[in-house]
């Protein structure tokens, strides 16, 4: 291929990659995502809302990976452009290897695979952006898109707050049907917990929890503040009315983000924001010293962080609690997770499998049945084992080191861009010379980009909103488009009145960076810091919308920094030092610096995302949707000849890692056998076979399946009177108790099964065990601490258990 043609093709691939990544970063915070194909209880209870499926998440993951592959191919085609590796690649490789091991040993492999693929895409997103964002206009395009998406979340949060009264009135009107659809009886503690959270009026925007929304807004607040400072600098220098309006608008956007953050009610995020602001002030005050002693400053920072961690952990170990009830709950999560990690140190339990294992280690004093430990380091260790934790630490340390490096010095002339591509700036104005495809050097081009992004995001988002109500779709789309336009234009409009880089005389020694450039770069770095601090008691790093924004900001921060292997450093090293001896530590470190596992990890992950993720999940989801549709149609024949039965089997065969189709097929077969006379024992047997296959081979740690299996075995035993069925029901109930030992509900279920089996088999030993388990359940329920009051058994359930104890012990008293 001719060199000119290769360069043109490579430039097209890079442009296409950047557009795809900007679209993904903009879209993700606005949509709901899931790794599970099963219907959520809330989604099933609201017929107007469709649950998200893993297909949309995998499509976005494949888009990220294909964009990264296109960028790598562009480098191969244009050998003169050296990839800029910032040093995070080996941490990513460690995480990928740990994720592979955990997926092999995970209980629910589909969740582990989907979650691992999705998270591993995000560091690749950051590394690809760090290489693609070589010019100021490209960086402003990405930043404008991120803050445009943040503006839509502000609008969504305001709508949630304003519409609370109407939503609450509608909930009260349909409360009984809402909870009945989920199989939850009145008086259940989960209802009280839900209503407490709803009455708090905490804004969560498009995120699954208000704390996650708070971390997202915290991240965007600092970026918006940096953009506002930059706008005010231009406005003051130019004294032009348009620049003043843009400065006021960007300040209003930052203020709106701060206000929305406050209405999330997340104290942890607010304190993390204060810590970030304190760091910002310290760095500005000591910037000259830090520029001269960067490594010493990093050592001091890591020392302070380590000392704070030791003090925090020591407090928890000594007192087993904290002054804040919220932190006390999190300490309970972490201590239970520590026992889990000790049992799975090498393999972990797999991504999205934490909640299935946590119940084995949860104490009765802990009020919540959480699905993650609310600490990103603990979650890495629990999900992917100690190797995953090591990879996360390497990523963290390398990321901090890369973000705090000095800015990449621009080459002396535009012609040098071919040899060592960096930010190319004119000698007159100091503004980046962008290609027409990515330049935002005029208001017209900024408006064109805004319109293209809004049109693309709206078209992509409409089918993902989960509703067929035209009025809702229209209102939501118009609101999102207007708010996105406002947030985008505040950043995208060109800064034509003042140079982007100060004259050389104002630069700081040994850094080559003007104070105001440090202000903006520092704003993004501080936002990343505050996000990680808040995620020490949160889980935002594992929610796709917030995590994608975090890694996009990381890529933006890395794009302006010096790299590990710049051509100047390599040339200097070759000229002034001897090559290290083979087989030594120095030779190994030199090899790691000049090579990168990123192409191999990206290629392998792209293959897995397509052939282990997207294709089987999409095919199985289509068959499962067809089966669900067929079950809703009237039928009065033999259950095993129902057209939905082969559809369920086909869905289960298409995805050998997912248990959803088998589980739903079992429930449907059993309910159909019960509703069609005469009662059909063959359908029950097939239902039990499907459920056992789902439990044993695909989801062995699913508590709900164990409990359901015990009830189905018991119903079958009552039907047949066979002792084998009764014994199977008791065994299933005992297995459920092992999965959740400190649960009064598990004890009561076992006692109910034992009582029924004792009556069916006339077994006195089972009757005595039932009484013992009934009493243990009541004693365990009474031992709950005051803060777990809403988790207590409903009074009618307590009365039923006491009545059962009295009835079962009455004959003994008579004797």
């Amino acid at each position: 291929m001719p060199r000119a043609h290769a360069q043109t093709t490579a430039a097209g691939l890079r442009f296409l990659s950047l557009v795809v990544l900007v679209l993904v970063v903009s879209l993700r915070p606005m949509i709901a995502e899931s790794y599970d194909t099963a219907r959520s209880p809330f989604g099933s209870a609201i017929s107007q809302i469709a649950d998200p499926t893993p297909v949309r998440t995998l499509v976005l993951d494949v888009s990220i990976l294909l964009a990264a592959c296109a960028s790598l191919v562009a480098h191969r085609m244009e050998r003169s452009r050296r990839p800029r590796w910032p040093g995070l690649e080996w941490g990513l490789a460690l995480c990928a290897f740990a994720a592979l091991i955990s997926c092999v040993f995970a209980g629910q492999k589909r969740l582990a695979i989907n979650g691992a693929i999705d998270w591993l895409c995000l560091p690749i997103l950051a590394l690809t952006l760090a290489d693609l964002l070589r010019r100021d206009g490209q960086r402003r395009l990405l930043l404008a898109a991120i803050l445009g998406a943040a503006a839509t979340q502000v609008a969504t949060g305001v709508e949630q707050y304003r519409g609370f009264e109407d939503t609450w009135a509608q909930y009260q009107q349909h409360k009984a049907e809402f909870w009945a659809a989920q199989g939850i009886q009145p008086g259940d503690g989960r209802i009280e917990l839900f209503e407490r959270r709803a009455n708090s009026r905490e804004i969560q925007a498009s995120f699954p929890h208000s704390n996650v929304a708070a971390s997202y807004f915290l991240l965007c607040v600092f970026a918006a503040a940096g953009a506002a400072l930059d706008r005010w600098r231009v406005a003051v220098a130019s004294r032009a009315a348009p620049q003043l309006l843009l400065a006021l608008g960007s300040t209003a956007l930052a203020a709106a983000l701060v206000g929305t953050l406050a209405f999330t009610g997340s104290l942890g995020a607010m304190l993390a924001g204060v810590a970030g602001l304190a760091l910002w002030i310290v760095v500005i005050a000591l910037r000259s010293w830090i520029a001269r002693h960067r490594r010493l400053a990093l050592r001091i920072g890591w020392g302070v962080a380590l000392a704070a961690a030791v003090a925090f952990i020591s407090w928890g170990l000594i007192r087993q609690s904290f002054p804040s009830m919220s932190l006390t709950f999190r300490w309970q999560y972490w201590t239970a997770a520590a026992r889990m990690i000790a049992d799975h140190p090498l393999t972990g339990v797999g991504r999205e499998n934490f909640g299935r294992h946590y119940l084995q280690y949860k104490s009765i004093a802990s009020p919540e049945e959480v699905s993650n430990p609310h600490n990103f380091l603990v979650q890495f260790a629990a999900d992917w084992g100690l190797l995953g934790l090591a990879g996360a630490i390497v990523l963290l340390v390398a990321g901090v080191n890369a973000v705090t490096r000095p800015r990449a010095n621009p080459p002396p002339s535009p012609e040098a861009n071919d040899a060592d591509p960096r930010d190319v700036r004119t000698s007159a104005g100091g503004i980046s010379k962008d290609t027409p495809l990515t330049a935002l050097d005029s208001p017209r081009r900024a408006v064109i980009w805004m319109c293209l992004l809004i049109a693309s995001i709206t078209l992509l988002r409409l089918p993902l909103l989960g509703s067929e109500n035209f009025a809702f779709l229209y209102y939501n789309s118009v609101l999102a488009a207007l708010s996105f336009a406002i947030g985008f234009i505040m950043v995208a409009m060109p800064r034509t009145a003042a140079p982007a880089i100060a004259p050389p005389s104002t630069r700081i020694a040994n850094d080559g960076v003007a104070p105001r450039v440090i202000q903006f770069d520092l704003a993004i770095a501080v936002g990343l810091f505050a996000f990680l601090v808040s995620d020490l008691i949160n889980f935002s790093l594992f929610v796709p919308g917030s995590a994608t924004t975090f890694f996009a900001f990381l890529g933006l921060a890395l794009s302006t920094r010096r790299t590990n292997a710049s051509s100047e450093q390599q040339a200097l090293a070759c000229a002034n030092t001897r090559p290290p001896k083979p087989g030594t530590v120095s030779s190994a470190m030199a090899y790691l610096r000049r090579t990168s596992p990123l192409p191999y990890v990206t290629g392998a992950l792209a293959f897995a995302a397509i052939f282990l993720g997207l294709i089987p999940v999409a095919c199985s989801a289509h068959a499962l949707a067809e089966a669900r549709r067929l079950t809703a149609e009237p039928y009065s024949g033999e259950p095993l000849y129902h057209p939905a039965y082969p559809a369920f089997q086909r869905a289960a065969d298409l995805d050998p890692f997912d248990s959803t189709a088998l589980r739903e097929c079992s429930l449907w077969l059993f309910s159909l056998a019960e509703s069609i006379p005469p009662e059909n024992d063959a359908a029950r047997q097939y239902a039990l076979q499907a459920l056992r296959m789902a439990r044993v081979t695909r989801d062995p740690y699913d508590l709900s399946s164990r409990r359901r299996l015990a009830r189905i075995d018991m119903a079958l035993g009552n039907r047949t009177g066979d002792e084998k069925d009764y014994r199977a029901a008791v065994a299933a109930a005992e297995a459920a108790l092992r999965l959740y030992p400190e649960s009064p509900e598990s004890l009561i279920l076992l006692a109910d099964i034992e009582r029924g089996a004792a009556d069916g088999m006339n077994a006195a030993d089972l009757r005595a065990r039932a009484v013992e388990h009934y009493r243990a359940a009541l004693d365990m329920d009474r031992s709950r601490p005051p803060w777990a009051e809403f988790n207590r058994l409903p009074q009618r359930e307590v009365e039923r258990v006491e009545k059962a104890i009295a009835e079962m012990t009455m004959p003994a008293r008579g004797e």
Side-chain angles (χ1 to χ4, degrees):
M1 181 182 294
R3 180 178 176 82
H5 182 62
Q7 289 181 341
T8 303
T9 305
L13 286 175
R14 286 195 300 273
F15 169 71
L16 185 61
S17 299
L18 182 60
V19 171
V20 169
L21 295 182
V22 169
L23 280 174
V24 170
V25 171
S26 304
L27 180 64
R28 265 204 144 163
M30 305 184 197
I31 61 174
E33 296 185 55
S34 173
Y35 301 123
D36 200 347
T37 55
R39 292 171 171 173
S40 69
F42 289 105
S44 302
I46 305 174
S47 58
Q48 297 87 353
I49 297 178
D51 284 336
T53 69
V55 175
R56 67 176 62 172
T57 298
L58 288 166
V59 167
L60 293 173
D61 294 339
V62 170
S63 301
I64 293 172
L65 292 170
L66 291 181
C69 289
S71 175
L72 292 171
V73 169
H75 281 298
R76 295 290 297 175
M77 296 177 66
E78 192 178 21
R79 296 178 181 274
S80 61
R81 295 179 67 91
R82 184 182 302 277
R84 301 192 298 175
W85 308 126
L88 284 70
E89 303 81 28
W90 289 104
L92 171 63
L94 279 177
C95 287
F97 185 66
L100 174 63
I101 296 174
S102 73
C103 288
V104 172
F105 292 94
Q108 222 302 358
K109 290 182 173 55
R110 172 47 61 202
L111 290 178
I113 292 171
N114 289 354
I117 289 173
D118 183 58
W119 196 90
L120 290 172
C121 285
L122 301 181
I124 293 176
L125 167 74
L127 293 170
T128 305
L129 286 173
D131 185 59
L132 290 174
L133 300 176
R134 294 173 179 259
R135 296 175 175 86
D136 182 65
Q138 296 169 328
R139 298 184 183 104
R140 283 195 291 123
L141 173 64
L142 177 64
L143 182 61
I146 294 175
L147 292 184
T152 65
Q153 295 308 297
V154 170
T156 303
V158 171
E159 284 296 303
Q160 287 178 354
Y161 189 82
R162 290 177 60 248
F164 173 80
E165 297 296 342
D166 294 337
T167 304
W168 184 253
Q170 188 175 10
Y171 164 75
Q172 291 293 340
Q173 183 180 357
H174 302 283
K175 178 178 178 178
E177 308 93 274
F178 176 77
W179 293 110
Q182 303 178 61
I184 298 176
Q185 301 299 320
D188 194 294
R190 286 172 289 183
I191 299 178
E192 182 180 353
L193 179 61
F194 173 83
E195 292 181 348
R196 284 186 182 183
R197 288 177 174 172
N199 277 315
S200 66
R201 300 195 181 195
E202 294 174 349
I203 290 174
Q204 63 186 57
S206 299
F207 297 95
H209 197 277
S210 59
N211 286 335
V212 177
S215 296
Y216 170 82
F217 287 124
L218 177 66
L219 187 61
C220 295
V221 158
F222 284 99
L229 288 174
D230 186 58
R231 285 291 177 197
W232 278 110
R233 174 185 60 79
V234 174
V236 170
S238 64
R239 298 185 180 181
Q243 296 298 329
L244 180 59
L245 289 176
L246 287 172
L248 291 172
S250 58
T251 304
L253 175 61
L257 287 166
V258 172
T260 312
L261 170 62
F263 277 102
T264 61
S266 176
L267 180 60
M270 295 177 195
L271 292 177
V274 172
L277 184 60
L279 176 65
W280 195 342
I281 295 172
V282 168
V283 172
I284 290 176
L286 303 176
R287 58 188 176 187
S288 298
W289 181 86
I290 291 174
R292 294 190 300 270
H293 307 88
R294 185 181 73 91
R295 292 187 177 182
L296 178 59
L298 279 178
R299 293 192 187 101
I300 293 173
W302 284 117
V304 171
L306 183 61
V310 169
F312 187 83
I313 295 172
S314 300
W315 181 297
L317 291 173
I318 294 172
R319 301 202 175 188
Q320 293 299 314
S321 65
F322 288 95
S324 165
M325 192 62 67
S326 178
L327 287 179
T328 298
F329 292 164
R330 281 158 173 77
W331 178 257
Q332 293 168 346
Y333 308 157
W334 302 334
T335 52
R339 296 192 294 272
M340 183 192 305
I341 295 167
D343 287 345
H344 306 84
L346 300 179
T347 64
V349 298
R351 280 282 286 120
E352 298 300 306
N353 278 250
F354 180 89
R356 284 166 160 74
H357 291 262
Y358 174 73
L359 301 178
Q360 300 177 47
Y361 306 94
K362 174 186 172 297
S363 70
I364 193 66
S366 181
E368 295 181 315
E369 301 170 357
V370 294
S371 58
N372 53 74
H374 289 65
N375 180 291
F376 72 95
L377 292 175
V378 177
Q379 183 152 356
F380 274 111
D383 288 352
W384 292 343
L386 297 180
L387 183 60
L389 177 62
I393 292 175
V394 171
L395 271 176
L396 179 63
V397 174
V400 170
N401 185 58
V403 169
T404 56
R405 288 190 189 118
R407 285 179 64 96
N409 292 323
S413 64
E415 289 75 13
N417 191 41
D418 291 334
D420 184 22
R422 304 284 180 175
D423 293 59
V424 182
R425 307 182 187 277
T426 62
S427 58
I431 300 176
S432 299
K433 292 180 64 178
D434 297 317
T435 62
L437 289 175
T438 54
L440 294 177
D441 57 358
S442 71
R444 187 173 70 89
R445 283 180 174 168
V447 171
I448 289 174
W449 268 108
M450 181 190 71
C451 295
L452 290 175
L453 286 176
I454 288 176
S456 302
I457 292 170
T458 301
L459 291 175
L460 292 171
R461 184 169 174 258
L462 274 175
L464 305 179
L465 289 176
S467 175
E468 297 180 358
N469 187 316
F470 176 78
F472 168 79
L473 294 175
Y474 176 78
Y475 177 78
N476 194 288
S477 299
V478 170
L479 179 67
L482 290 176
S483 52
F484 184 93
I486 294 172
F488 184 91
I489 212 69
M490 293 301 107
V491 180
M493 279 296 178
R495 300 164 296 184
T496 56
I501 295 293
S505 59
T506 64
R507 293 179 180 175
I508 297 176
N510 300 325
D511 197 11
V513 184
R516 50 187 171 71
V517 176
I518 284 184
Q519 291 270 351
F520 183 75
D521 286 351
L522 184 59
I524 294 179
V526 167
L528 297 172
F529 165 79
F531 183 95
L532 289 178
V533 169
S534 70
D535 234 44
L536 291 173
I537 57 171
N538 201 3
F539 53 95
S540 307
L541 197 61
F542 301 93
V543 175
S546 54
T548 300
T549 305
F550 172 85
F551 281 99
F553 273 123
L554 177 60
L556 188 62
L558 293 174
S559 67
T560 62
R561 304 288 112 185
R562 292 178 185 168
T563 59
N564 273 346
S566 65
S567 56
E568 297 93 346
Q569 291 172 333
Q570 287 183 346
L572 186 63
C574 293
N576 298 333
T577 61
R578 295 180 180 178
K581 294 181 179 180
T584 63
V585 176
S586 299
S587 66
M589 294 301 296
Y591 174 78
L592 293 180
R593 280 194 295 268
R594 69 175 178 266
T595 60
S596 172
L598 182 61
Y600 309 103
V601 174
T602 303
L605 194 61
F607 179 88
I610 294 172
F611 294 102
L612 294 180
L614 183 59
I615 291 177
V617 170
C619 295
S620 179
H622 178 74
L624 184 58
E626 177 66 13
R628 288 168 176 169
R629 185 188 65 80
L630 291 171
T631 58
E633 297 181 354
Y635 183 78
S636 57
E638 183 72 19
L640 296 181
Y641 295 103
H642 194 292
Y645 183 60
F648 277 119
Q649 289 183 316
R650 186 165 60 256
D653 293 338
L654 287 170
D655 189 353
F657 301 120
D658 197 1
S659 63
T660 303
L662 291 172
R663 193 164 56 241
E664 291 192 13
C665 179
S666 171
L667 295 178
W668 166 74
L669 273 177
F670 193 79
S671 63
L672 197 63
E674 289 290 311
S675 62
I676 299 176
E679 295 179 341
N680 192 300
D681 290 337
R684 287 192 181 87
Q685 293 293 345
Y686 276 95
L688 282 170
Q689 182 181 352
L691 192 58
R692 286 196 177 100
M693 186 179 297
R695 175 184 61 81
V696 175
T697 63
R698 301 192 180 186
D699 200 356
Y701 299 101
D702 182 26
L703 177 64
S704 61
S705 293
R706 299 270 187 172
R707 290 176 172 176
R708 192 176 296 121
L709 185 61
R711 294 189 181 100
I712 293 178
D713 274 323
M714 190 65 199
L716 191 61
N718 291 335
R719 163 75 180 144
T720 63
D722 192 343
E723 180 178 346
K724 181 180 66 175
D725 294 326
Y726 284 125
R727 295 293 182 185
V730 173
E734 289 174 342
L737 181 62
R738 286 193 294 272
L739 288 181
Y740 197 175
E742 295 201 23
S743 166
E745 292 82 0
S746 294
L747 283 167
I748 290 174
L749 173 64
L750 177 57
D752 287 340
I753 297 294
E754 288 172 338
R755 182 186 181 188
D759 293 340
M761 298 187 301
N762 195 21
D765 59 329
L766 285 179
R767 188 173 291 107
R769 286 169 54 189
V771 172
E772 179 183 348
H773 289 137
Y774 276 136
R775 287 172 174 164
L778 294 181
D779 292 340
M780 186 180 293
D781 188 59
R782 296 188 192 102
S783 68
R784 294 186 193 271
W787 56 75
E789 189 72 27
F790 57 85
N791 281 342
R792 292 192 185 278
L793 294 171
Q795 185 59 34
R796 66 176 181 280
E797 181 70 0
V798 173
E799 293 172 356
R800 184 187 72 83
V801 171
E802 291 175 343
K803 182 180 179 182
I805 294 173
E807 291 174 351
M808 297 174 70
T809 56
M810 193 176 298
R813 291 175 183 172
E815 292 176 0

